[in-house]
């Protein structure tokens, strides 16, 4: 259990914070300037996270490239609203 807590703490309070904040800020800018429909903002956040996980070298210490991309995708998507994505794909989920 301690290993799981350590992993989550390092993920969100370590270098992963860079991805989450960047994805959130990009999503907020897109929403504010109203260039792209709001439905696509979580998808864009996830894509930004995936790309940042790929291009920032050694963002996650000791992780291979695929793991870094997946962690980046999860952080970017979570920062911009995983619930929002599901709601948009399936209709109004409460």
């Amino acid at each position: 259990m301690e290993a799981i807590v350590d992993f989550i703490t390092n993920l969100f309070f370590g270098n992963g914070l860079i991805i989450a904040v960047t994805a959130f800020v990009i999503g907020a800018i897109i929403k504010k300037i109203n260039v792209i429909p709001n439905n696509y903002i979580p998808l864009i956040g996830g894509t930004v996270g995936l790309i940042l996980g790929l291009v920032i070298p050694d963002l996650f210490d000791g992780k291979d490239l695929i793991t870094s991309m997946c962690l980046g995708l999860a952080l970017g998507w979570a920062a911009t609203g995983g619930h929002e994505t599901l709601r948009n794909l399936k209709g109004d989920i409460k």
Side-chain angles (χ1 to χ4, degrees):
M1 183 68 173
E2 186 176 325
I4 294 171
V5 172
D6 287 342
F7 175 76
I8 291 173
T9 302
N10 290 335
L11 180 64
F12 284 103
F13 296 112
N15 294 329
L17 190 60
I18 296 168
I19 291 176
V21 170
T22 303
F24 179 79
V25 168
I26 289 173
I29 290 170
I30 291 170
K31 187 171 184 143
K32 184 73 173 174
I33 61 176
N34 206 17
V35 175
I36 298 171
N38 290 344
N39 306 20
Y40 297 108
I41 293 174
L43 180 63
I44 293 169
T47 304
V48 166
L50 185 137
I51 291 169
L52 289 177
L54 176 67
V55 298
I56 299 175
D58 299 327
L59 183 63
F60 302 107
D61 296 332
K63 304 291 183 203
D64 60 68
L65 188 60
I66 299 297
T67 304
S68 293
M69 287 172 39
C70 290
L71 290 172
L73 173 67
L75 284 167
W77 181 60
T80 55
H83 179 276
E84 188 73 23
T85 300
L86 293 174
R87 193 181 76 164
N88 290 333
L89 290 175
K90 293 191 175 203
D92 266 341
I93 296 176
K94 304 272 181 199

